[in-house]
Amino acid sequence: MAQINPWILGYEAKSYANGDYSNCKVDCSLGVNLETPPTAVTRALDALSLEELQHYPHDPEFLDALAERFAPRVRLGRENFALGCGSVDILYTVNKLFLAPGKTVVGYAPQFSAYVDDVHMQGAEYAPFMLRQPDNYRLDAEAFAAFIDAFPRAVHVVYVDNPNNPTGQVLRPEEVETLIQAAARRGAAILVDEAYGEFMPEECSAIRFVGQYDHLYVLKSMSKGFGLAGMRLGYIAGPAKGMAQYRKLVPPYNGNGLARRLGVAMLRSKESSIEGLISRAAAKNRQLYALLAGGPIRVAHTEPSVPISLLYTDDPGVDLCEVFRKAGVATVSGASFEGLGVNSVRLMLPREEEMPLLLELADVAQKSLSAQK
């Protein structure tokens, strides 16, 4: 057998991307936005020509559309952006820029498990600040900054997901800047993963700080809030000098032509599909939280506007994913995340018309646990 890197052979990935959720009545597992896209997107799709599919994509129009989108908050140009096959592809690429065997990423657990998996695949160490069940999994930014400052070995990358996956909690701008400055004190890059960023107020985005800090990289996605998960398009914003090095690692023509075309249509549409996302998600969450209040299924600290939540029970022996599966709801097991066990799940809100069924089935799950006591 060929010699495979030992840090890959010895690691079992926690990624939840390939779960089987086919037999459930409501799919609340993977993070997708099923809202109807703007008509500008469907028109762009209808106008696509065969000739466009025959050529390699190199049109920078999507980069220009990104610069336009963020112009009210920060002055950025093409040199500050790069594209990827979803933001997860960018996370993998940026890890190649900063990581190698023996290097360290400091994050907090739980976090996006596919990123943590890739840190290990690079032969690097993932050193998490643990979010605790007695604190309802709330992240204290000052305490995390102190953890970064006091970490006993060299820190090469600080990883922050905002909103956090799986809890959905959101860091405020001053908290994000506290962590940016903590990373700077350690001479580390800081990656702020905003895959669910369209579900938080714009002022919470770290994109505003890109022009101020030369060690900050912000990753965003067209998959979640914009609802283009099938197009696999994400982007990274960072300092021009750092991005020039990053582009050395990017395959030619990354970001397919169809995705770029639809992304431009989405960003420039006056009929934005993301308007109202925050209020609609919050309204759905309030219904779910009210149903679960006072029962054995608890809701971890979160932001109601974010469509993912961490649900858990106090009994570590309860397989909560299985409880929901038997009730007819597909969720992601907490065992897929560092620092969590089977007594927790990540739940993604379904589309509006499925909310009554989710509430009915969540009530079934809640009552089944109550009956076991």
Side-chain angles (χ1 to χ4, degrees), residues 82-85 89-100 118 122 217 236 242-254:
L83 307 184
C85 182
D89 170 48
I90 297 170
L91 284 170
Y92 295 168
T93 304
V94 80
N95 273 350
K96 294 177 185 176
L97 189 64
F98 293 111
L99 298 185
D118 192 67
Q122 302 296 330
Y217 297 81
I236 181 173
M243 292 304 299
Q245 302 305 311
Y246 174 89
R247 277 187 281 273
K248 294 177 182 179
L249 300 169
V250 177
Y253 314 113
N254 205 20

Side-chain angles (χ1 to χ4, degrees), residues 58-360:
H58 52 75
D59 189 338
E61 188 177 9
F62 183 73
L63 302 180
D64 293 337
L66 290 173
E68 293 166 13
R69 173 173 171 76
F70 297 115
R73 284 172 282 162
V74 62
R75 189 179 216 172
L76 300 173
R78 294 178 186 176
E79 67 277 9
N80 297 108
F81 294 105
L83 307 184
C85 182
S87 57
V88 68
D89 170 48
I90 297 170
L91 284 170
Y92 295 168
T93 304
V94 80
N95 273 350
K96 294 177 185 176
L97 189 64
F98 293 111
L99 298 185
K103 292 194 171 184
T104 300
V105 175
V106 170
Y108 43 88
Q111 283 185 308
F112 180 41
S113 54
Y115 176 75
V116 177
D117 285 343
D118 192 67
V119 171
H120 290 285
M121 299 306 174
Q122 302 296 330
E125 175 192 10
Y126 174 71
F129 173 75
M130 304 302 294
L131 306 187
R132 301 170 62 250
Q133 184 175 315
D135 299 326
N136 204 28
Y137 297 102
R138 181 183 178 277
L139 173 62
D140 182 326
E142 292 288 347
F144 181 44
F147 179 83
I148 296 168
D149 286 334
F151 193 75
R153 297 183 295 285
V155 178
H156 301 92
V157 172
V158 173
Y159 176 63
V160 174
D161 51 357
N162 191 38
N164 171 250
N165 179 2
T167 66
Q169 63 188 291
V170 170
L171 294 171
R172 304 304 164 190
E174 61 276 11
E175 294 176 308
V176 174
E177 190 165 26
T178 292
L179 301 180
I180 293 171
Q181 293 170 349
R185 289 193 293 272
R186 297 304 303 264
I190 180 166
L191 313 181
V192 181
D193 180 352
E194 296 184 358
Y196 287 91
E198 274 62 49
F199 293 95
M200 65 182 181
E202 288 188 355
E203 62 266 22
C204 292
S205 174
I207 202 87
R208 63 192 291 179
F209 298 120
V210 168
Q212 301 176 42
Y213 295 99
D214 64 4
H215 66 301
L216 168 64
Y217 297 81
V218 181
L219 300 90
K220 297 178 80 69
S221 175
M222 300 299 289
S223 299
K224 310 299 185 187
F226 287 102
L228 297 179
M231 289 294 93
R232 309 308 303 127
L233 182 62
Y235 57 96
I236 181 173
K241 288 183 178 179
M243 292 304 299
Q245 302 305 311
Y246 174 89
R247 277 187 281 273
K248 294 177 182 179
L249 300 169
V250 177
Y253 314 113
N254 205 20
N256 71 77
L258 175 57
R260 292 179 188 219
R261 168 68 75 89
L262 298 186
V264 169
M266 179 69 84
L267 291 174
R268 290 181 171 163
S269 172
K270 292 182 171 58
E271 178 206 343
S272 173
S273 67
I274 66 170
E275 288 181 8
L277 273 183
I278 286 177
S279 59
R280 288 194 295 271
K284 292 178 189 177
N285 269 327
R286 281 193 291 268
Q287 296 178 66
L288 180 62
Y289 303 161
L291 174 76
L292 298 177
I297 300 177
R298 304 179 185 277
V299 182
H301 181 74
T302 190
E303 188 73 29
S305 66
V306 180
I308 53 172
S309 297
L310 177 66
L311 310 182
Y312 67 94
T313 68
D314 290 333
D315 185 350
V318 170
D319 186 336
L320 193 55
C321 188
E322 181 65 9
V323 170
F324 272 102
R325 187 196 67 78
K326 287 180 178 178
V329 181
T331 61
V332 173
S333 173
S336 300
F337 296 90
E338 187 94 11
L340 296 178
V342 296
N343 62 321
S344 60
V345 298
R346 192 196 73 179
L347 184 142
M348 172 80 187
L349 292 173
R351 65 180 81 206
E352 187 71 43
E353 56 267 32
E354 292 180 313
M355 273 303 294
L357 181 56
L358 170 61
L359 295 173
E360 176 187 333

